[in-house]
């Protein structure tokens, strides 16, 4: 059973950066892909980006290219998402997710028939 | 990036009725890599369907998915009280995944 535990809520000033962590347990972290999704208050889900271990650089939604940085530390089984140049529009709950497999796109995803989500991290951007 | 358009935005129905939700893609979704999620307030999304038509682990058979290419449908055969929630489609056919805007199934 894979468990993802995210870091706690953050309050940030406009123009600053935030780094959210997502610690995985209960499985073979080194083979997991991860995605990051956010949800602004009262809004829908927004895919931010994803990473496949040892495969190459992360992929980002066009909207977040150049402003988001997704990394994974396999020694600590932790994935990270850093977002810079924050504005009030970045106020949202940020989720990490994994299918427990090596892919987050294409027919190789969801091979276990399920996925796993962190509990979400509320990031509030306010002056 | 592939744009997903969900309709309707809101679907008022009664328990026991059938719900039909649509998700249309701006271009063909590779390998029918389309998933459906259910979300309740304050909770993380829950995977219902992947690969356009495969039910996720533990999902009741009243949920079914269909479609291919650019047109996909989620059907809930008989609404239970716990099914009133918001539903999102996700395409994962490309390295840049995208979500639809969501459909809220509410009690009429």
């Amino acid at each position: 059973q894979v468990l993802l535990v995210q870091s706690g809520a953050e309050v940030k000033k406009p123009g600053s950066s935030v780094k959210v962590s997502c610690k995985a347990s209960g499985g073979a972290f080194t083979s997991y892909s991860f995605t990051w999704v956010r949800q602004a208050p009262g809004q829908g889900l927004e895919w931010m980006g994803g990473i496949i271990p040892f495969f190459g650089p992360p992929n980002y939604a066009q909207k977040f290219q150049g402003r988001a940085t997704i990394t994974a530390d396999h020694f600590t089984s932790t994935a990270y998402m850093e977002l810079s140049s924050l504005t009030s529009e970045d106020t949202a709950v940020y989720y990490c997710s994994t299918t427990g497999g090596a892919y987050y796109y294409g027919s190789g995803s969801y091979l276990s028939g399920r996925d796993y989500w962190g509990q979400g991290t509320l990031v509030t951007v306010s002056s | 990036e592939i744009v997903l358009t969900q309709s309707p935005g809101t679907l008022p129905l009664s328990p026991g009725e059938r719900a039909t939700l649509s998700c249309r893609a701006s271009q063909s979704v590779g390998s029918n890599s389309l998933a459906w999620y259910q979300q309740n307030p304050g909770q993380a999304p829950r995977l219902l369907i992947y690969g356009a038509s495969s039910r996720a682990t533990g999902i009741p058979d009243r949920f079914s998915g269909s479609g291919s290419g650019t047109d996909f449908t989620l059907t809930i055969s008989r609404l239970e009280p716990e099914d009133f929630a918001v539903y999102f489609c996700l395409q994962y056919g490309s390295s840049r995944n995208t979500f639809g805007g969501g459909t809220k199934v509410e009690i009429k």
Side-chain angles (χ1 to χ4, degrees), chain B residues 23-61:
Chain B
C23 177
R24 180 161 291 177
S26 61
Q27 56 187 278
S28 185
V29 175
S31 304
N32 289 334
S33 296
L34 194 288
W36 288 94
Y37 284 85
Q38 177 192 68
Q39 189 181 33
N40 286 296
Q43 296 184 14
R46 173 195 182 198
L47 178 68
L48 300 174
I49 300 288
Y50 63 96
S53 61
S54 297
R55 262 188 304 277
T57 302
I59 300 303
D61 61 7

Side-chain angles (χ1 to χ4, degrees), chain A residues 7 46 50 52 61 75 78 89 99:
Chain A
S7 49
E46 189 169 30
I52 295 174
F75 294 105
T78 304
E89 295 187 352
T99 60

Side-chain angles (χ1 to χ4, degrees), chain A residues 35 37 39 43-47 59-63 65 95 104-107 109-115 117-118, chain B residues 1 31 33 35 37 39 42-47 50-51 55-57 88 90 92-101:
Chain A
T35 61
V37 173
Q39 187 168 38
Q43 302 301 307
L45 300 172
E46 189 169 30
W47 189 85
N59 287 291
Y60 301 97
Q62 214 160 350
K63 176 178 180 177
Q65 192 79 43
Y95 293 101
Y104 67 85
Y105 64 92
S107 57
S109 307
Y110 298 109
L111 292 180
S112 66
R114 61 173 302 170
D115 63 358
W117 291 70
Chain B
E1 293 179 349
S31 304
S33 296
Y37 284 85
Q39 189 181 33
Q43 296 184 14
R46 173 195 182 198
L47 178 68
Y50 63 96
R55 262 188 304 277
T57 302
F88 296 94
L90 165 75
Y92 56 96
S94 67
S95 58
R96 285 177 166 171
N97 298 182
T98 47
F99 281 99

Side-chain angles (χ1 to χ4, degrees), chain B residues 62-81:
Chain B
R62 65 179 181 272
F63 291 93
S64 63
S66 63
S68 63
T70 60
D71 288 298
F72 299 89
T73 301
L74 174 70
T75 301
I76 311 171
S77 59
R78 295 172 311 279
L79 283 165
E80 297 287 341

Side-chain angles (χ1 to χ4, degrees), chain A residues 12-92:
Chain A
K12 293 293 184 179
K13 299 286 189 188
S16 67
S17 298
V18 67
K19 190 170 186 177
V20 181
S21 68
C22 171
K23 185 169 178 63
S25 62
F29 176 85
T30 53
S31 64
Y32 292 169
S33 63
F34 285 88
T35 61
W36 287 88
V37 173
R38 79 175 187 180
Q39 187 168 38
Q43 302 301 307
L45 300 172
E46 189 169 30
W47 189 85
M48 298 183 68
I51 186 169
I52 295 174
F54 310 117
F55 186 75
N59 287 291
Y60 301 97
Q62 214 160 350
K63 176 178 180 177
F64 298 104
Q65 192 79 43
R67 203 162 69 89
T69 303
I70 293 172
T71 56
D73 182 343
H74 301 291
F75 294 105
T76 61
S77 302
T78 304
Y80 298 92
M81 189 287 300
E82 184 170 20
L83 191 63
S84 62
S85 303
L86 293 170
T87 72
S88 59
E89 295 187 352
D90 295 313
T91 293

